[in-house]
Amino acid sequence: MLDSRELYQQIILDHNRNPRNFRAIPAPSGHAEGNNPLCGDAVSIDVTLSDHVITDVAFQGAGCAISRASASLMTETIKGKTRQEALDLFDGFRDLVTGAAEMSDPGPLAVFASLRDFPARVKCATLAWHTLRAAIEGTTETITTE
Ligand code: ZN
């Protein structure tokens, strides 16, 4: 039997090796780039919005396993959500990884809960979310976690 921490580790490694929605969207409604200089993670997010609903989201970039897995799981989690639901999930996710509060119904994002013991990696996990928010809100500056 795997304990949950080992299982979570395997899910993260799987998303790192086979990231979901790893592509560009032609003519997206929103696009943003993000950097985490602390670790060297870089991500770009494309999003398609239709009536405030995220109908498609994709990412590209290079970085550590945590940053790639987080971006991959994020795209799977937010597709079909409204813009506001996605921003609320970001708030919950940030609470989850920092340990500030429990996230209600984290779903697959629970795999990142153990990061609260590794504060230096929190920026790796939140980079894609910060960048998503910029893509949704139409920010054109490159996002940095620093
Ligand atoms: Zn990283």
Side-chain angles (χ1 to χ4, degrees):
M1 274 292 284
L2 292 170
D3 71 24
S4 65
R5 200 165 271 224
E6 283 174 278
L7 178 65
Y8 288 172
Q9 189 73 19
Q10 291 199 348
I11 292 170
I12 289 171
L13 292 175
D14 175 56
H15 275 267
N16 175 48
R17 270 195 299 266
N18 304 299
R20 321 301 197 265
N21 303 301
F22 189 80
R23 57 189 160 82
I25 296 174
S29 329
H31 170 87
E33 317 250 339
N35 287 306
N36 173 20
L38 213 63
C39 179
D41 309 316
V43 69
S44 72
I45 303 280
D46 287 339
V47 62
T48 303
L49 288 155
S50 173
D51 285 337
H52 300 290
V53 174
I54 297 167
T55 55
D56 198 9
V57 55
F59 82 103
Q60 292 186 291
C64 66
I66 301 274
S67 71
R68 283 164 58 91
S70 180
S72 174
L73 273 158
M74 180 190 76
T75 61
E76 286 199 318
T77 304
I78 63 166
K79 206 183 278 192
K81 299 277 195 286
T82 67
R83 175 198 302 246
Q84 190 56 50
E85 284 168 341
L87 295 175
D88 290 345
L89 277 166
F90 179 25
D91 286 340
F93 181 70
R94 203 161 31 187
D95 286 346
L96 174 87
V97 295
T98 58
E102 295 304 322
M103 184 176 188
S104 59
D105 193 21
L109 299 177
V111 301
F112 296 103
S114 64
L115 289 183
R116 63 188 56 177
D117 298 328
F118 305 95
R121 311 311 299 277
V122 165
K123 287 176 178 176
C124 302
T126 54
L127 173 65
W129 289 89
H130 281 289
T131 310
L132 170 78
R133 185 171 63 188
I136 288 175
E137 292 177 347
T139 309
T140 51
E141 288 167 45
T142 298
I143 301 307
T144 174
T145 54
E146 292 304 297

